Amino acid sequence: GDVYKRQVHGVEKWEYKGVEEEVYCLKSAQTDFDLTGQVIWKAAYFLSEYIVDNQELFKDKTILELGAGVGLCGLVAAHFAQTIVLTDHHDVVLDLLRRNITQSARDKVFTGKLDWGKTSLADLNATNHKDEAHELKNLDFIIGADIVFWPDSIAPLYITLREVKAAFPRCRIIISAYSRSALSDKLFLSKAKEFGFNVSVIKGAEMINIYELETIEA
């Protein structure tokens, strides 16, 4: 079956240190094959809390989220940032993401389709809940949560990260990852060097790390 199939979504209420969000999502996934972007995973909660704890970092910034899923991290960041562009690659997930940004009713939150390793930033076509378009002219942060668990997606992710970093050399890359697979963890770290990145842990907890990726200087 298609793990991306349309299902009934419930409302998840999230609150941390006075910051609140409500998003539509699937309440649970029964197998790893349900890792579809319609569920909020632990790494997304962890990154959302990191954003609140470090809100001064994100104040008045422009942020691009990769593999945004239901959009929790980006919507949390929108409490502090100037502009948020949330991206995913699957149409069903994008429909859910658009539903959530419409509910949030924030003009500065945009969403668009970005297929790692295939879609160029120039083809992003991000729009907000009013269908107003946004063109990325500057970028301060790339964020992502639970976007390195499929081994086949890691090289395409790095292709996209390299492209975005080339366009916006000063932007910082922050990725929150829950350790599910030793193979994926190893690939994520080993492929980094191949694509010109150093990886460091900036916050860790049991089974979850938040990484910063920096370009290796020639």
Side-chain angles (χ1 to χ4, degrees):
D2 181 5
V3 298
Y4 289 98
K5 64 187 176 184
R6 298 173 193 278
Q7 302 187 51
V8 177
H9 299 106
V11 175
E12 173 89 12
K13 295 184 177 182
W14 179 90
E15 188 275 333
Y16 180 72
K17 294 187 176 178
V19 178
E20 299 179 1
E21 274 303 324
E22 286 190 9
V23 291
Y24 289 100
C25 62
L26 292 181
K27 290 295 192 176
S28 64
Q30 294 178 356
T31 72
D32 276 358
F33 293 104
D34 280 332
L35 296 169
T36 62
Q38 299 178 77
V39 176
I40 303 173
W41 300 95
K42 288 181 179 179
Y45 292 121
F46 197 58
L47 180 55
S48 296
E49 292 175 4
Y50 176 85
I51 290 167
V52 175
D53 286 337
N54 297 275
Q55 58 191 257
E56 285 302 316
L57 273 182
F58 302 98
K59 187 174 175 59
D60 300 326
K61 302 299 186 185
T62 298
I63 299 172
L64 173 71
E65 182 171 9
L66 303 181
V70 305
L72 177 64
C73 299
L75 289 170
V76 169
H79 286 261
F80 317 108
Q82 183 177 50
T83 305
I84 308 284
V85 181
L86 307 180
T87 67
D88 213 291
H89 79 283
H90 199 282
D91 291 339
V92 174
V93 179
L94 283 164
D95 286 346
L96 179 57
L97 187 54
R98 290 188 186 103
R99 184 182 183 187
N100 284 328
I101 72 164
T102 298
Q103 177 181 258
S104 79
R106 291 193 186 94
D107 295 353
K108 64 183 180 181
V109 181
F110 300 82
T111 185
K113 186 170 187 173
L114 187 60
D115 197 353
W116 303 339
K118 297 178 183 177
T119 310
S120 167
L121 276 183
D123 301 320
L124 186 53
N125 296 324
T127 56
N128 66 6
H129 70 106
K130 294 179 176 178
D131 210 30
E132 297 167 335
H134 177 74
E135 182 183 350
L136 268 181
K137 294 182 178 178
N138 65 288
L139 186 64
D140 300 297
F141 285 93
I142 302 167
I143 63 171
D146 253 342
I147 59 173
V148 295
F149 49 77
W150 293 124
D152 289 349
S153 73
I154 290 173
L157 171 63
Y158 275 122
I159 291 170
T160 292
L161 288 174
R162 188 169 61 184
E163 179 204 350
V164 179
K165 188 73 171 171
F168 303 102
R170 296 179 64 183
C171 78
R172 294 177 64 183
I173 304 170
I174 294 177
I175 293 175
S176 176
Y178 185 88
S179 180
R180 287 190 184 83
S181 156
L183 173 60
S184 293
D185 294 348
K186 184 177 179 181
L187 265 177
F188 171 56
L189 296 173
S190 64
K191 285 283 183 188
K193 290 280 194 297
E194 184 180 322
F195 282 90
F197 291 101
N198 281 322
V199 180
S200 57
V201 176
I202 56 175
K203 184 176 175 63
E206 187 177 2
M207 301 294 287
I208 306 179
N209 284 318
I210 294 178
Y211 299 96
E212 180 160 10
L213 280 63
E214 297 175 288
T215 306
I216 297 171
E217 299 299 331

